[in-house]
Each structure stands twice: as structure tokens, then as C-alpha cells.
Amino acid sequence: MGVITIDPKDISVTELNGYLLGTISPRPIAFASTVDKNGKVNLSPFSFFNVFSTKPPILIFSPSRRVRDNTTKHTLENILEVPEVVINTVSYSLVQQTSLASVEYAKGVNEFTKAGFTEVHSQCVKPPRVGESPASFECKVNQVIPLGTEGGAGNLIICEILLMHFKEVLFDASGKIDPNKVDAVARMGGDFYCRVNGDNIFTVPKPNSKQGIGFDQIPLRIRNSKILTGNDLGMLGNIERLPNQSEIHKEKQSVELMNATRNVEEGVHLLAKKYLSTGEIEKAWLVLLSAE
Amino acid sequence: MGVITIDPKDISVTELNGYLLGTISPRPIAFASTVDKNGKVNLSPFSFFNVFSTKPPILIFSPSRRVRDNTTKHTLENILEVPEVVINTVSYSLVQQTSLASVEYAKGVNEFTKAGFTEVHSQCVKPPRVGESPASFECKVNQVIPLGTEGGAGNLIICEILLMHFKEVLFDASGKIDPNKVDAVARMGGDFYCRVNGDNIFTVPKPNSKQGIGFDQIPLRIRNSKILTGNDLGMLGNIERLPNQSEIHKEKQSVELMNATRNVEEGVHLLAKKYLSTGEIEKAWLVLLSAE
């Protein structure tokens, strides 16, 4: 498969932006509420954002210097005056209003009003939180780290969480957060967003803490299968030990008939694939090794 | 709607981790390739990761200190010995193998081998890149910033991109990156992942650079609609100016009949909603204002 290799210094900042945002994706959204020294509120979304530490609990986002004219954003200016922020998350139901809040209104214009969000008074910091957001984090800003001086330069806002607010509806009966209830949206390249719900959510059980055998221990004839994909082989490699001879012997009884009536390897690999699709890794291994 | 407020200091690091990863989500994946001072290769995925600056081009990821025993990860140890990394992205077809590479194999075990990935020699740095990844970024590490000393503390790895590799298949005919071709996966809370493709990708055009009128300029009777959602109103607020009287007068001809035969407000709002669903904001406004 062809590969295009690019030195970032050889292309424009706008082109580079397109490549980075298109491939480092999807990016969670920090909907950041700040105030200036006079208490005027600002609310703006940023996708150069993530959680980076649990203890201490640290979130980081970056309002970049504008590529167009190398100016800075009101959010950054506010934080330099009042080092506090409420980082709110964005669900699908809020995405159009959030986009509206990203309009460059004049300094001092309150985007809560312009975008139709509810200001809720914070307990630990001056900026209000967004009443409609699924989760809000009241933060003090520990540090601002400029990454450069030209248009396109990021400014790391290192935020320490002081208090968290979660909508009750996010939690399932066992008290865990249900990703479908969060109904998150995230930023991608260009005008693209993704909505995270339904069939696009899947689980991969944490790998075996006793260490999977790994790809290199999968017999070559299985590794070279035309039917098993990299994802299938990844699951097979996550088993702690291969089935032993007696387990394999027992399994042979049940697959014999199928082997007799079909192309052996294709049939066996398809059967193994079926078991992998329901997470039955051990059964898949038994089928594969019993067909020897 | 009920809100649960939590002071992060009042709960365990594991609980806090669950809340943060469940709501700051989806998170892009940095599949990081590093080498130790003897040239031994390590490959491991991290979801405390994002792009933070275009000029200079900066990616940041964070290998946290383990909550279990406050030990550090081989990736961090390698970077402190050799301050270079290749950050590879992960598509859906690679997710099971990537998960396998997150197994805590002994130091010196090469996860390219264990997880079945192809080592491709890098041009600017010692660690190899992942041949199967959609995009790979050869980076020098400018700085490592520990965020704490206890289990759960992040370590910011500030990476500057030296060279980028993209699979040709990611690009559409106009040279732009096609998000469906990227077929990205991202991490969420617990064992949840999301796959970004198909219907879960949508577009929100960049807000009007001439400044939308905003929520506060939407007439109250429209803002209080039982039919138009926050997303609908967000789109309406993004128009630069409301239709004028002559435009409204013209529109009245076409909606008269419908008004006469249905509940006026419901019918008009439903019609406006239909236009908004296809992005025809101006038409939606005409319908709404012509029904007065």
C-alpha cells in the first residue's frame, strides 16, 4: 500500500492543520467557560484537549494562536487575567449551539447568551458552568505553557480539577457511566464531527493480565490464514496458554464430521472466526488445533 | 435533571479514573514506538493523547504512573534514555492487535513481534514505525513533564513532529483526508471503544464568519417551540441576518395553504425543522417568519 511521506516544514500551516486534524481524530471537546478581570464571561469550544493525569486530576486544552493573523483567543486572555476555567463536555443534543458559541463575537459578549446555554454558578471558581452539559469540571489553572509565538502555536492550559458535576442520567444501575447516555460528540478534520452511540460503540476486554501468548506463538499456518483477520489473530494471541493435547483430543470428536464434508482449512478457520466474533477465544483455539 | 457533584479528593483514584475516562471521551489513540539505550524496541498504546499545536507541530501523550503499584511504563523509561518516539494512529482493523500490545510484557520484549505488526525503519529517529498504521509521526521529544509522584500521576511527553507518513488510501480525489478511509477507533471508559465511520460521522459547517445573530435574537415564540430542539435553534441562530419584509411577504404565498389546513404553529415549526435537517437555514427562517 502506498505511503506519502511529508516533512511538516515543506507545507503550509493550513495544509498541515488539515493532515493533523484529519488523522489525530476523533478529539474530545472542551467547552471552556472563563471570565476576564471584570467578571465578563466567555464560553468557547476547543478540541486540542484531553485528560492527562488522575492524581493529581489534570485536564489540558490548548487555544492556539490564530493562523490567519496570529492573534490570541479571548479564552486565553481571560485565563491570563483570572486563572480559572470550567471545562464542560458536549453531547450530541448540544452540538449546534456549541458550534454557534465558537463564533468570534466581540470581547465581552457572553456566548452563554448568544448560544442559548444556562449559566450555573460554580462553587470553587468564578466562571459559571454550562447547565446543559453532561459533565462539568471546575478547575484552577496551574500553568500556561506557550508552545510558540507564530500563528498556529498552541498554548497549553494545565487545569487541575477542583470539583466535578455529572448529570445523574449518565449512570447505569451499578453506578458506572453508560457511554450511550453520555452520547458524546467529538471533532474530526474539516467540518466533520462524530457522534458516539449505538453500534459504533464496542468493547475489547482488557488484555489478559497473565500475558497473552502473542502473535509469534500462533502457529504459522494459522497466522497465514486467508480467512482470519489481524483482529482475529490479535484475539487468538491474547490467550494465556494453548489448549493441551487432551483438550484438543476431546474437541476432535465434534469437528470431525465437518472436516470430512468441507474444505478442511477454510471450514475450520470460518468456524474459529465465528467463535471469535462472540469472544469465545478458547473455543476458537480448540477448533483450530483440533483440525490438525 | 439531577446533578451529582463530587470532590475528586473524596473518592479513590480508580473511581475517579472511571468518571474521567467515561466522560472525557472519545479519546484518540497514540500507538507509541520507542527504543531503550540498547536499541530494544517497545510499542504501546496511550489514550491520554492529542495534537496541541500546528506551528510548531506538537503532539502530547501521557504514560501515567500505575495506580496499582506506582511503577512507570517502559515507554516512559525508554524516552528518558532516548528522547524520540514514533506516534502511530490506529484504525479499526488494528484494534485487537493494538490491545494485545498493551499487555505488560517484560522489558525488552518487542511488542511489534508479540502483536504481529511490521517494523518499518524511520528516517529521522531510531524507533521504527508501525507499517500497518494509517498515519505515523516521527517525533523528537522536547520535554518530559511529570505531573505528580503518586500512582495515577501523568507524565507529559511533549513531542515535536519531524516527519509524517500517511497511507495513500486516506486521501480523496481532491487530496483531502476522508474520515471514512481513516476508519479511526478511539478509547472511552472501561472496556469501551468507538469506531468512527458511516452514519456516526456528520458535518457542522463552520459558523458564519460574519457572526450569527445568536440565540438572543431569535423571537421568543420560536425559541420556546416544543418542536424545534436546541440543535435546530443553534442552526437558526447562526444566520447572519433575519429575512426582510419583502422576502417574508414572498414566502407567505407558498405557506398559506398549509397554514389554513393545519395547526399553524406546529405545522410551521415542523416544516422549518424539515428544512434545518437538510441545512437550509435561510428557508427555515422564511417559513417561520412568514407564518406570523
Side-chain angles (χ1 to χ4, degrees):
Chain A
M1 198 180 335
V3 168
I4 299 172
T5 295
I6 303 173
D7 183 332
K9 289 188 291 295
D10 290 345
I11 57 178
S12 73
V13 177
T14 304
E15 278 178 294
L16 178 56
N17 222 29
Y19 294 146
L20 295 179
L21 303 197
T23 54
I24 298 172
S25 176
R27 298 181 306 281
I29 300 172
F31 201 21
S33 164
T34 55
V35 296
D36 69 12
K37 58 179 184 293
N38 300 316
K40 292 267 195 188
V41 173
N42 189 282
L43 179 65
S44 189
F46 298 91
S47 77
F48 289 6
F49 165 59
N50 213 331
V51 52
F52 279 93
S53 176
T54 313
K55 188 173 185 163
I58 300 287
L59 310 181
I60 303 178
F61 73 101
S62 170
S64 292
R65 303 183 73 89
R66 293 192 186 88
V67 175
R68 191 177 64 234
D69 54 7
N70 196 19
T71 53
T72 57
K73 293 180 178 159
H74 297 146
T75 299
L76 175 63
E77 293 161 14
N78 284 359
I79 283 172
L80 292 173
E81 292 177 8
V82 179
E84 298 178 344
V85 60
V86 182
I87 293 180
N88 306 275
T89 67
V90 178
S91 59
Y92 180 74
S93 60
L94 309 179
V95 68
Q96 292 284 352
Q97 288 172 263
T98 304
S99 173
L100 188 54
S102 73
V103 169
E104 292 176 14
Y105 290 108
K107 183 143 187 169
V109 169
N110 183 340
E111 287 86 0
F112 277 90
T113 309
K114 274 291 163 196
F117 289 110
T118 307
E119 287 187 37
V120 179
H121 192 73
S122 292
Q123 295 177 36
C124 303
V125 298
K126 290 180 204 79
R129 66 181 167 90
V130 174
E132 290 78 3
S133 282
S136 298
F137 302 92
E138 296 187 23
C139 300
K140 64 173 176 168
V141 173
N142 287 345
Q143 207 182 348
V144 176
I145 306 178
L147 295 171
T149 56
E150 298 179 76
N155 293 280
L156 301 183
I157 314 289
I158 316 286
C159 308
E160 182 169 342
I161 301 172
L162 302 177
L163 199 64
M164 314 184 287
H165 308 277
F166 303 105
K167 293 266 192 250
E168 266 174 13
V169 292
L170 303 186
F171 297 89
D172 65 20
S174 72
K176 293 226 165 98
I177 288 172
D178 178 340
N180 269 296
K181 300 286 179 50
V182 175
D183 197 11
V185 285
R187 283 296 278 120
M188 303 175 67
D191 289 347
F192 292 108
Y193 285 70
C194 80
R195 177 183 190 173
V196 182
N197 69 352
D199 286 348
N200 283 45
I201 299 175
F202 64 102
T203 60
V204 178
K206 294 261 185 316
N208 202 321
S209 60
K210 289 169 185 155
Q211 297 190 359
I213 57 169
F215 245 66
D216 51 327
Q217 299 303 312
I218 301 174
L220 256 186
R221 65 192 174 281
I222 296 173
R223 234 188 296 168
N224 293 335
S225 170
K226 288 187 175 57
I227 287 161
L228 299 170
T229 62
N231 275 338
D232 292 329
L233 297 173
M235 291 176 78
L236 289 172
N238 190 33
I239 204 159
E240 189 194 340
R241 64 163 185 85
L242 293 182
N244 62 31
Q245 283 309 315
S246 103
E247 291 166 322
I248 291 170
H249 182 76
K250 198 173 151 209
E251 180 68 18
K252 281 197 181 186
Q253 321 302 320
S254 64
V255 291
E256 259 180 333
L257 187 64
M258 186 198 66
N259 288 348
T261 56
R262 295 186 64 161
N263 173 307
V264 175
E265 186 166 293
E266 184 182 326
V268 170
H269 285 205
L270 283 171
L271 185 60
K273 199 172 167 64
K274 195 194 80 179
Y275 284 121
L276 290 171
S277 73
T278 55
E280 297 170 83
I281 303 178
E282 202 173 334
K283 188 73 182 168
W285 264 119
L286 276 169
V287 163
L288 286 165
L289 295 178
S290 301
E292 306 287 296
Chain B
M1 198 178 337
V3 168
I4 298 171
T5 295
I6 303 172
D7 183 332
K9 288 188 293 296
D10 291 344
I11 58 176
S12 72
V13 178
T14 304
E15 278 178 294
L16 178 55
N17 222 29
Y19 295 147
L20 294 179
L21 303 197
T23 53
I24 297 171
S25 178
R27 300 181 304 284
I29 300 172
F31 201 19
S33 164
T34 55
V35 296
D36 70 12
K37 59 179 184 295
N38 300 316
K40 292 267 195 187
V41 173
N42 189 282
L43 179 66
S44 191
F46 299 90
S47 76
F48 290 6
F49 164 61
N50 212 331
V51 53
F52 278 92
S53 176
T54 312
K55 187 171 187 168
I58 299 287
L59 309 182
I60 302 179
F61 73 102
S62 168
S64 293
R65 302 184 73 89
R66 292 192 186 90
V67 175
R68 193 176 61 234
D69 54 8
N70 195 20
T71 53
T72 56
K73 293 182 179 157
H74 297 148
T75 300
L76 175 62
E77 295 162 13
N78 284 358
I79 283 172
L80 293 173
E81 292 178 7
V82 179
E84 298 178 344
V85 59
V86 181
I87 294 181
N88 306 276
T89 66
V90 179
S91 59
Y92 181 74
S93 61
L94 309 180
V95 69
Q96 292 286 352
Q97 289 171 262
T98 304
S99 174
L100 188 54
S102 73
V103 169
E104 291 177 14
Y105 289 108
K107 182 143 188 171
V109 169
N110 183 340
E111 286 85 1
F112 277 90
T113 309
K114 275 289 163 196
F117 289 111
T118 307
E119 287 186 37
V120 180
H121 192 74
S122 292
Q123 294 178 34
C124 303
V125 297
K126 289 181 206 77
R129 66 181 167 90
V130 174
E132 289 79 3
S133 282
S136 298
F137 302 92
E138 298 186 23
C139 299
K140 64 172 176 171
V141 173
N142 286 347
Q143 206 181 350
V144 177
I145 306 178
L147 295 172
T149 56
E150 298 179 76
N155 293 281
L156 301 183
I157 314 287
I158 316 286
C159 307
E160 182 170 342
I161 301 172
L162 302 178
L163 200 65
M164 314 185 288
H165 307 276
F166 303 104
K167 294 264 191 252
E168 265 174 14
V169 292
L170 303 186
F171 297 88
D172 65 19
S174 72
K176 291 226 165 98
I177 288 172
D178 178 340
N180 268 297
K181 301 286 179 53
V182 174
D183 198 10
V185 285
R187 284 296 277 123
M188 303 174 69
D191 289 347
F192 293 108
Y193 284 71
C194 79
R195 178 182 189 173
V196 182
N197 67 351
D199 287 346
N200 283 44
I201 299 175
F202 64 102
T203 60
V204 177
K206 293 260 184 314
N208 203 321
S209 60
K210 288 169 185 156
Q211 296 190 0
I213 58 168
F215 245 65
D216 52 325
Q217 299 305 310
I218 301 174
L220 255 187
R221 65 189 175 282
I222 295 173
R223 236 190 294 170
N224 292 336
S225 169
K226 287 187 178 55
I227 286 162
L228 299 169
T229 63
N231 275 338
D232 292 330
L233 297 172
M235 290 175 77
L236 289 171
N238 190 33
I239 204 160
E240 189 194 342
R241 64 163 185 84
L242 294 181
N244 62 30
Q245 284 309 316
S246 102
E247 291 165 323
I248 292 170
H249 181 76
K250 196 172 154 215
E251 180 66 18
K252 281 196 184 187
Q253 323 300 319
S254 63
V255 290
E256 259 180 336
L257 186 63
M258 185 199 67
N259 288 348
T261 56
R262 296 187 63 164
N263 172 309
V264 173
E265 185 164 294
E266 186 183 326
V268 169
H269 285 205
L270 282 171
L271 185 60
K273 201 172 167 60
K274 195 195 81 177
Y275 284 121
L276 289 171
S277 73
T278 54
E280 296 171 84
I281 304 177
E282 200 173 336
K283 186 75 182 170
W285 264 119
L286 278 170
V287 164
L288 286 165
L289 295 177
S290 302
E292 307 284 298

